[in-house]
Amino acid sequence: APPNVQITGFLSQPDLDALLDDASVYVQASAHEGFGCALAEAMARGCIPVVSRQGALPEVVGEYGVFVDPADVSSVATGIRRALAQGSDLRPAIAERIATCFSFERRRHDLLALVKKIGRANGM
């Protein structure tokens, strides 16, 4: 890896928080993806997301994502450069998106509504 890439292995929550606070960009160029909890966590800290269009990643990033082809290294590199060029003025808006769209209360409400809907569909 180049000098500006750090491979850490497991990080404690305080160490992860410090790393995300220092990061400008978060890259998740997945070929397959579910919700993207790590992506949301990075965005909550204001990291500019560079992601594929897999799974729920586009839903999580909304208008703030730089989308790349995960099978094309040059696409990922270009996406990272584009995200870095956007500057840090987007960080508060990115964090606000996660706080607003994926707050604990909203997730709780939506999950309970889904459980009730499934229950009604199964005669419960």
Side-chain angles (χ1 to χ4, degrees):
N4 65 337
V5 173
Q6 194 177 57
I7 300 173
T8 64
F10 176 81
L11 293 172
S12 67
Q13 191 62 52
D15 289 342
L16 176 60
D17 291 342
L19 189 65
L20 291 175
D21 286 342
D22 288 342
S24 298
V25 171
Y26 176 81
V27 180
Q28 191 161 338
S30 303
H32 173 75
E33 192 59 54
F35 172 71
C37 289
L39 169 62
E41 187 173 6
M43 289 178 65
R45 305 304 278 215
C47 295
I48 299 170
V50 177
V51 299
S52 64
R53 293 190 182 276
Q54 302 301 315
L57 297 180
E59 177 186 351
V60 175
V61 302
E63 65 188 81
Y64 296 105
V66 175
F67 293 100
V68 299
D69 177 354
D72 181 356
V73 173
S74 66
S75 173
V76 176
T78 299
I80 293 169
R81 283 192 290 276
R82 285 183 48 218
L84 288 169
Q86 289 181 5
S88 62
D89 53 333
L90 281 179
R91 292 179 71 115
I94 290 169
E96 180 62 28
R97 172 173 173 69
I98 298 303
T100 301
C101 295
F102 303 104
S103 69
F104 176 77
E105 281 305 314
R106 181 169 177 185
R107 288 180 286 140
R108 179 181 179 276
H109 175 269
D110 291 352
L111 179 60
L112 288 174
L114 181 60
V115 168
K116 288 176 184 177
K117 180 179 177 181
I118 292 169
R120 283 192 301 271
N122 289 308
M124 297 178 179

